[in-house]
Amino acid sequence: MRIHHIGYAVKNIDEAFKFFKILGFEKVNEKVVDEERKVKILFVKNNEYLVELIEPYGRDSPIENILKNSGSSPYHICYESKDILKDIEMLKNDGFVLISELSAAPAINNQKVCFLYNRKVGIIEILAE
Ligand code: NI
């Protein structure tokens, strides 16, 4: 599957972006609050590489744990799928566990996404094209 972006946990998007800018990244759009997932998101781009900066939002954001365990760090790769229901089934049969149901992602034009996990791989995200 084609890679869409790398998801990168940060404590504060504005502070982190100052440094990503030094590394050659520019903003793709403005910050988006995803209330349902308890995150703020900013997509940034360095040539063909798209990175999603993800900051905790509100109480009990799942990003808090990632920051606590690993600090600022990449923690998921998002893959594009042309047939997402089929690919979810395929991945489940191949040892991935669905950790969040398919739902609209406000930061990606409300395209459908879901997250899966495998102990050998970690977290992956699948995006419906
Ligand atoms: Ni993502």
Side-chain angles (χ1 to χ4, degrees), residues 4-8 41 43 51-52 54 75-79 105 108 113 115 124-127:
H4 183 267
H5 66 263
I6 310 287
Y8 209 112
I41 289 172
F43 277 95
V51 169
E52 174 187 33
I54 305 153
Y75 75 97
H76 73 258
I77 294 181
C78 176
Y79 299 88
I108 318 177
V113 301
F115 288 86
I124 64 169
E125 179 179 19
I126 309 292
L127 167 68

